[in-house]
Amino acid sequence: MNDGAVKAAGRVLDLFQGARLTPTQRRIAHSLVEHAAKAAYLSAAEVAELAGVSQPSVTRFAMALGYSGYPALRRELRVRTDDAPAEPAARNAMQRAVHAETEHLRRLEEQLHDPEDARRAAALLIGSRPLPVLGVRAAAPLAAYFGYFAAKVFPGVRVLDGGGTSLLDRLDQARADGAGAMLAIVLPRYPRESVEAVREARAAGLSVVAITDSAVSPVAEHADVVLPAAVGTQLVFDLHTGPMAMAMVLLQAMCDAAPEPVQQRLEEFEAAAARRHIFLA
């Protein structure tokens, strides 16, 4: 996906932010985002074929977004994508990938103009003792990164980064120990065990905050608060710049909302680190 296509995809994705979509409707949304450059010129039948759904499903999808039908949605798609700027020819593939990340971060900045979702997420998470942080496969390093810093301020942070049946066991243990909420980091290609763990958490009465790549992610319908941050797809493996930034923004919101003095905990850590000569600088 080149830089122009990334911009077009972002503009199409904006249509679905905050929408509660069924699994079938999310498939349609994914197809429109993936084919954003030509989405405005596809018929309802062509969209249905791309998504593997029926043509009436496409019509119901458009109406779920508040449009009178698919033609009205297509007109909106044309407005959003026709003025997407072309990609400069001088950039090489690596530059294009990095430049696309700057576009993702710009959109994240715009999204955070209203930080209410981050604040809602923080309010749910800071009251959970322990606090399970789910992240398996590609999301495991980000869950560990968040957990490493969160544990300096909040007691009882538990990183759940292993899949299989033991993942659900650890989730059950956290719930039995008093957990009331869970942070789930679920990134493409959306591991089955992650989505199942989120479903189990909700069934057990936990509130779920999800950091994922879009508002139409498979995990979005199961979360109380969704914090979307786009993933870069132009290299052999995905770039997670946006989700990492969102994770740190969420942790900042948690620190801001913490009823206990965060600075005191940080000073205690720094004093211990100095006494033990942990760092060289």
Side-chain angles (χ1 to χ4, degrees):
M1 189 182 291
N2 61 34
D3 187 35
V6 168
K7 287 182 169 63
R11 296 179 184 199
V12 172
L13 184 58
D14 283 343
L15 283 170
F16 316 131
Q17 299 290 4
R20 281 299 206 184
L21 302 176
T22 67
T24 295
Q25 290 168 348
R26 288 201 311 276
R27 290 174 64 183
I28 298 170
H30 272 299
S31 296
L32 291 175
V33 172
E34 289 173 0
H35 301 86
K38 62 177 182 179
Y41 301 94
L42 297 174
S43 67
E46 289 170 327
V47 173
E49 184 177 357
L50 284 173
V53 302
S54 68
Q55 188 170 333
S57 293
V58 176
T59 300
R60 288 193 292 270
F61 167 74
M63 296 177 70
L65 294 175
Y67 297 93
S68 59
Y70 179 71
L73 172 59
R74 186 166 62 175
R75 286 193 294 272
E76 178 62 24
L77 289 169
R78 191 165 298 177
V79 169
R80 287 173 177 264
T81 58
D82 276 357
D83 61 346
E87 173 192 4
R91 293 193 181 107
N92 62 40
M94 294 180 182
Q95 287 178 305
R96 288 196 295 270
V98 173
H99 187 76
E101 289 302 282
T102 67
E103 175 64 15
H104 291 156
L105 291 176
R106 184 194 63 77
R107 294 186 65 247
L108 181 56
E109 178 190 10
E110 291 179 353
Q111 177 183 326
L112 290 169
H113 178 71
D114 180 1
E116 182 57 30
D117 282 346
R119 289 171 178 164
R120 284 176 53 220
L124 289 174
L125 297 177
I126 60 174
S128 182
R129 298 288 189 276
L131 173 59
V133 178
L134 171 69
V136 302
R137 296 187 180 271
L142 182 49
Y145 187 79
F146 177 93
Y148 172 79
F149 288 107
K152 296 181 184 300
V153 180
F154 300 100
V157 176
R158 299 184 186 178
V159 176
L160 311 182
D161 56 3
T165 55
S166 64
L167 171 60
L168 298 183
D169 290 343
R170 295 180 66 194
L171 184 58
D172 286 342
Q173 291 164 5
R175 180 69 184 91
D177 290 341
M182 178 178 77
L183 171 61
I185 303 174
V186 184
L187 304 176
R189 302 166 57 192
Y190 315 117
R192 182 184 295 108
E193 59 256 64
S194 294
V195 179
E196 289 176 351
V198 169
R199 289 187 185 129
E200 287 286 335
R202 287 296 300 274
L206 272 69
S207 300
V208 175
V209 173
I211 294 178
T212 188
D213 66 310
S214 82
V216 294
S217 159
V219 78
E221 67 174 306
H222 306 295
D224 295 274
V225 182
V226 178
L227 301 177
V231 165
T233 59
Q234 296 195 33
L235 300 178
V236 175
F237 299 107
D238 288 346
L239 286 168
H240 295 159
T241 312
M244 178 172 284
M246 178 61 86
M248 291 298 98
V249 165
L250 173 59
L251 184 53
Q252 178 66 48
M254 292 171 63
C255 290
D256 291 343
E260 301 174 3
V262 169
Q263 189 60 37
Q264 180 179 340
R265 289 184 178 274
L266 292 176
E267 289 175 358
E268 289 172 354
F269 170 79
E270 290 298 333
R275 186 176 66 254
R276 297 167 185 163
H277 304 288
I278 293 177
F279 303 113
L280 296 179

